[in-house]
Amino acid sequence: MTAALSTALPFLPFSKPTIDEDTIAMVGDVLRSGWLTNGGPKVSQFEQQLSEYFGGRPVRCFNSGTCTMEIALRVAGVGPGDEVITTPLSWVATANVILEVGATPVFADVDPVTRNIDLDKLEAAITPRTRAIIPVYLAGLPVDMDRLYAIAGMHNLRVVEDAAQAFGSTWKGKRIGAFGDMVSFSFQVNKNLTTGEGGCLVLNNEDEAVLAEKYRLQGVTRSGVDGIDVDVLGGKYNMTDIAAAIGLGQMKTIDAVNAHRESLARHYYQCFGPDFAASTGAQLPQPAFGSSNWHLFQIILPDRGPTTRADFMRALKEQYNVGSGFHYAAIHLFTLYRKLGFHEGMFPESERIGRLTVTLPLFYAMTTLDVERVVGAVKAVLADQATQP
Ligand SMILES: *Cc1c(COP(=O)(O)O)cnc(C)c1O
């Protein structure tokens, strides 16, 4: 494929939401109803459907998948003096929420194959001050959930699952969110199910749900006609009815969306072929069919120096009109975290993957032809770069 030919094809982004006409109509209905937010019917309807989806567990919706985790930590009573263990290879929100509640983030490096937190290293990082752990299911791939909860049980730790990317993922046939401790999902625009911005938290019982509702809206409890009290410090984190209407529309198609994503992922493996890694030095993700929801399809590039990824992403875009992303740079190397004492060399797997990971296009509106186009472009760019000094 020549460069001129391939850039003639429309730009293929790495992610793009699909909002169907029924959903757009439902949002129009909300806008016309005059009841746009707080206490409107759509949020509670969405929470009800999510609760059914997660086996009847209590669910509350929020305006992001970040505040869900912050609130989960508050509900668990995590605060100053407590340590929370998580992975350095995630969106920075995962660690920021630990700082936000005044606790101390402790990182454990990732497993190079799954790219998720290494549970041996997690266990080794536990101290008498450890109160909670935040595992992340990167790209939608769960960790070993049996082992995770065995560790949590043995050391009496709370778990706040950062399942932001794992809506519809399963572990041994059980849906992520339908079991475990507190489980947080994000509905940010790139996620498999979106509300534009938003998130939900799956909780253990009604007491936790009531507390989460207080943290969601200024700590307020209402009673009777005009009774109001505030007994905890809450924020402004409620979901609008507009967002919930989008979510309700997305719930209707989520199973089809995830199934299509899986079939695109299968096609990626077929097109890359069994000798792709050996012939290029790049790594494909773990082929976790039947568990991952295929939120992202990420390859790890062969290391060709500090500009490896930028060069690759630029060539993919300029020569083939194919977009890509990187999820994520290692959190502990950000300035804010370096100021806390973290530095290079502490978590080498996360640092390497954080520098060389590339997210290829994968979204519902894509076709198998798009996958073939991406694989052709990736192989051509890698071959081209391999011949350069
Ligand atoms: C998207 C995401 C979040 C944050 O969700 P927002 O809804 O953007 O606040 C947290 N963790 C991970 C791993 C994510 O992918």
Side-chain angles (χ1 to χ4, degrees):
M1 198 187 262
T2 70
L5 247 183
S6 47
T7 45
L9 290 168
F11 178 64
L12 184 69
F14 83 84
S15 177
K16 191 167 92 180
T18 297
I19 310 287
D20 63 25
E21 288 303 321
D22 284 355
T23 305
I24 293 169
M26 238 196 307
V27 170
D29 290 345
V30 170
L31 295 176
R32 277 184 286 266
S33 78
W35 203 325
L36 306 191
T37 182
N38 237 9
K42 293 288 186 247
V43 171
S44 48
Q45 220 178 308
F46 188 31
E47 287 175 340
Q48 183 58 40
Q49 281 197 18
L50 289 165
S51 176
E52 280 163 26
Y53 189 81
F54 296 121
R57 301 185 72 198
V59 177
R60 292 298 179 272
C61 286
F62 301 84
N63 59 21
S64 78
T66 299
C67 68
T68 45
M69 292 191 286
E70 185 188 323
I71 287 170
L73 290 173
R74 292 192 195 283
V75 168
V78 175
D82 297 331
E83 292 175 357
V84 180
I85 304 173
T86 192
T87 166
L89 194 67
S90 181
W91 177 229
V92 67
T94 311
N96 280 355
V97 294
I98 300 169
L99 294 176
E100 201 64 58
V101 301
T104 304
V106 173
F107 294 111
D109 206 357
V110 298
D111 175 294
V113 175
T114 65
R115 308 164 189 173
N116 280 329
I117 194 165
D118 180 325
L119 295 180
D120 289 330
K121 292 184 175 145
L122 184 160
E123 199 164 19
I126 294 171
T127 76
R129 291 172 61 200
T130 309
R131 282 288 302 279
I133 45 190
I134 307 183
V136 176
Y137 311 143
L138 200 65
L141 177 69
V143 299
D144 178 336
M145 302 299 289
D146 297 334
R147 174 100 199 277
L148 172 75
Y149 277 100
I151 294 170
M154 193 151 48
H155 298 273
N156 201 18
L157 304 175
R158 294 300 301 262
V159 180
V160 175
E161 299 180 31
D162 183 352
Q165 305 191 352
F167 199 96
S169 297
T170 56
W171 170 253
K172 294 185 175 169
K174 284 182 295 184
R175 219 168 244 163
I176 293 299
F179 64 99
D181 194 346
M182 283 186 275
V183 189
S184 167
F185 294 90
S186 166
F187 304 137
Q188 183 265 349
V189 69
N190 288 336
K191 303 303 195 307
N192 291 26
L193 187 149
T194 187
T195 60
E197 297 283 2
C200 78
L201 183 63
V202 185
L203 301 123
N204 293 293
N205 52 55
E206 284 306 318
D207 286 349
E208 283 185 358
V210 166
L211 191 51
E213 280 179 20
K214 287 194 210 176
Y215 285 124
R216 181 167 69 179
L217 199 69
Q218 314 290 6
V220 163
T221 306
R222 292 183 184 278
S223 58
V225 175
D226 61 352
I228 178 166
D229 190 28
V230 174
D231 63 347
V232 296
L233 178 60
K236 171 71 178 175
Y237 299 126
N238 56 297
M239 177 179 270
T240 66
D241 253 33
I242 304 163
I246 303 173
L248 284 165
Q250 295 262 298
M251 282 298 277
K252 293 187 185 152
T253 53
I254 185 63
D255 290 345
V257 166
N258 285 346
H260 185 62
R261 282 174 169 275
E262 184 178 283
S263 73
L264 293 171
R266 274 188 204 283
H267 202 57
Y268 263 122
Y269 286 98
Q270 276 161 11
C271 295
F272 277 121
D275 63 346
F276 173 73
S279 63
T280 62
Q283 273 174 268
L284 295 178
Q286 216 188 16
F289 292 100
S291 176
S292 177
N293 67 352
W294 294 101
H295 171 58
L296 301 170
F297 194 96
Q298 298 172 301
I299 64 168
I300 297 171
L301 300 173
D303 195 353
R304 295 176 50 79
T307 64
T308 297
R309 182 168 57 200
D311 293 344
F312 176 88
M313 291 175 75
R314 196 182 302 113
L316 209 58
K317 168 98 199 312
E318 286 175 2
Q319 295 171 37
Y320 298 93
N321 219 8
V322 169
S324 58
F326 63 100
H327 306 86
Y328 293 98
I331 295 171
H332 67 287
L333 299 182
F334 291 136
T335 302
L336 177 68
Y337 288 85
R338 285 180 189 267
K339 281 185 190 159
L340 299 174
F342 296 106
H343 56 80
E344 247 126 27
M346 292 177 91
F347 310 107
E349 295 297 348
S350 300
E351 291 167 22
R352 181 183 59 85
I353 297 169
R355 200 163 58 75
L356 297 170
T357 187
V358 175
T359 303
L360 301 180
L362 181 60
F363 53 91
Y364 183 56
M366 263 174 77
T367 64
T368 50
L369 277 178
D370 291 325
V371 170
E372 286 156 28
R373 178 182 163 198
V374 175
V375 172
V378 167
K379 284 181 174 173
V381 171
L382 286 176
D384 199 31
Q385 292 186 334
T387 64
Q388 286 164 16

